[in-house]
Amino acid sequence: MHIQDLIIKDKEAIDIQDVFLSESNRESINQLIKENLYVEELSRYGLPVSNKILLFGSSGCGKTTSAKGIAKALGKPLIILNLSNVINARIGETSQHLKQVFDRAGRDKAVLFLDEFDQIGKARGEDENDVGEMRRLVNTLIQLIDYFPEDCVLIAASNHVDIIDSALIRRFQLRLSYEMPIREALDDYYDKLLVRFPADLHPEERIYGISYAEAKDFALKEVKKKLIAELEGKG
């Protein structure tokens, strides 16, 4: 299998201001974007630039959309690699696959997004089956992160940060937690999502205690049901 087959090609562009974030996460991401827009100027003063960020927490709460928003804000190509696909592709070749992806990110001056980071970032030596190859794989990843070019951005995402090797976690200058949205945040999200549809197509009730992704699926499903019913009634 060629490494190109493992890269997810997603050209959807998202403005970072359209990503629903907590105030603290928005502030941290905006600072990261600004630092990476002024890499050369900061470097002249010997100031380090934060270009490695770990996003962790609940699924469907904006980690992937954050990566897309950061890439667009920086005007950089986005390379998405789901690490569960790399592991399943033949574990003996995983280190080489990772090196190829990191090399490509460096050549393209890209934003590299590693999804399901915990698939590789497991604590070394805790699993009886996780010996030898996996330990070498984690060490390879540590080296790749340490030498990641300053003019690129590395974003890793995980729903299970607790099982990631602490040596890997320390490599990220920013570590942001993505929690399930509160009721007010979901109302804002519903309002923005539904504003382009006529009021009579809006869901009669809203569901809470779910992720943004689940809220989007629910709301659009209800809109489609109402629209189809309206069309069939006219027919």
Side-chain angles (χ1 to χ4, degrees), residues 111-125:
V111 172
L112 175 56
F113 179 57
L114 303 179
D115 200 7
E116 296 195 33
F117 191 62
D118 45 87
Q119 291 295 313
I120 287 182
K122 295 178 180 178
R124 287 167 287 185

Side-chain angles (χ1 to χ4, degrees), residues 122-139:
K122 295 178 180 178
R124 287 167 287 185
E126 291 186 2
D127 186 338
E128 290 182 2
N129 297 319
D130 182 18
V131 294
E133 184 62 37
M134 185 61 74
R135 192 177 299 116
R136 287 190 292 273
L137 187 56
V138 172
N139 289 333

Side-chain angles (χ1 to χ4, degrees), residues 11-36:
K11 296 184 178 180
E12 180 186 11
I14 295 176
D15 290 324
I16 193 63
Q17 60 265 30
D18 291 335
V19 181
F20 277 74
L21 298 164
S22 67
E23 285 305 312
S24 60
N25 282 359
R26 184 171 299 282
E27 182 178 344
S28 295
I29 287 176
N30 284 339
Q31 176 66 22
L32 174 123
I33 289 171
K34 290 175 182 178
E35 288 185 22
N36 282 273

Side-chain angles (χ1 to χ4, degrees), residues 90-151:
R90 288 177 193 168
I91 192 156
E93 300 176 0
T94 302
S95 292
Q96 189 59 38
H97 283 157
L98 281 175
K99 289 176 183 176
Q100 290 174 9
V101 173
F102 272 74
D103 286 346
R104 175 176 166 181
R107 290 194 305 271
D108 294 350
K109 301 186 188 311
V111 172
L112 175 56
F113 179 57
L114 303 179
D115 200 7
E116 296 195 33
F117 191 62
D118 45 87
Q119 291 295 313
I120 287 182
K122 295 178 180 178
R124 287 167 287 185
E126 291 186 2
D127 186 338
E128 290 182 2
N129 297 319
D130 182 18
V131 294
E133 184 62 37
M134 185 61 74
R135 192 177 299 116
R136 287 190 292 273
L137 187 56
V138 172
N139 289 333
T140 295
L141 186 54
I142 287 174
Q143 292 176 352
L144 290 171
I145 294 174
D146 284 345
Y147 291 100
F148 193 68
E150 195 176 54
D151 57 0

Side-chain angles (χ1 to χ4, degrees), residues 16-232:
I16 193 63
Q17 60 265 30
D18 291 335
V19 181
F20 277 74
L21 298 164
S22 67
E23 285 305 312
S24 60
N25 282 359
R26 184 171 299 282
E27 182 178 344
S28 295
I29 287 176
N30 284 339
Q31 176 66 22
L32 174 123
I33 289 171
K34 290 175 182 178
E35 288 185 22
N36 282 273
L37 287 173
Y38 297 103
V39 173
E40 294 182 8
E41 291 81 356
L42 293 175
S43 296
R44 291 195 195 109
Y45 288 89
L47 293 169
V49 173
S50 296
N51 69 332
K52 304 182 188 78
I53 177 172
L54 175 63
L55 312 178
F56 62 91
S58 303
S59 176
C61 291
K63 296 187 289 295
T64 301
T65 51
S66 293
K68 294 177 181 179
I70 291 170
K72 182 176 181 183
L74 295 175
K76 292 180 176 294
L78 176 65
I79 297 174
I80 301 177
L81 185 67
N82 187 311
L83 292 184
S84 64
N85 293 338
V86 178
I87 291 290
N88 294 334
R90 288 177 193 168
I91 192 156
E93 300 176 0
T94 302
S95 292
Q96 189 59 38
H97 283 157
L98 281 175
K99 289 176 183 176
Q100 290 174 9
V101 173
F102 272 74
D103 286 346
R104 175 176 166 181
R107 290 194 305 271
D108 294 350
K109 301 186 188 311
V111 172
L112 175 56
F113 179 57
L114 303 179
D115 200 7
E116 296 195 33
F117 191 62
D118 45 87
Q119 291 295 313
I120 287 182
K122 295 178 180 178
R124 287 167 287 185
E126 291 186 2
D127 186 338
E128 290 182 2
N129 297 319
D130 182 18
V131 294
E133 184 62 37
M134 185 61 74
R135 192 177 299 116
R136 287 190 292 273
L137 187 56
V138 172
N139 289 333
T140 295
L141 186 54
I142 287 174
Q143 292 176 352
L144 290 171
I145 294 174
D146 284 345
Y147 291 100
F148 193 68
E150 195 176 54
D151 57 0
C152 303
V153 175
L154 176 64
I155 304 174
S158 171
N159 299 336
H160 307 286
V161 70
D162 53 307
I163 65 172
I164 297 177
D165 191 305
S166 59
L168 279 169
I169 292 178
R170 288 197 303 269
R171 263 63 190 179
F172 294 88
Q173 301 108 335
L174 289 178
R175 299 185 282 273
L176 306 183
S177 175
Y178 282 62
E179 307 297 338
M180 294 288 281
I182 60 175
R183 186 183 182 94
E184 291 79 4
L186 273 176
D187 272 328
D188 288 342
Y189 183 71
Y190 279 125
D191 289 343
K192 187 166 186 177
L193 185 66
L194 295 169
V195 69
R196 62 193 175 100
F197 303 110
D200 62 325
L201 295 182
H202 292 191
E204 295 176 4
E205 296 182 354
R206 294 178 172 184
I207 297 178
Y208 300 96
I210 58 178
S211 69
Y212 289 121
E214 291 170 321
K216 181 178 181 180
D217 288 342
F218 160 73
L220 295 185
K221 179 182 177 181
E222 291 301 304
V223 168
K224 288 184 287 186
K225 283 170 60 177
K226 284 178 173 287
L227 178 57
I228 290 170
E230 185 179 291
L231 294 171
E232 288 180 336

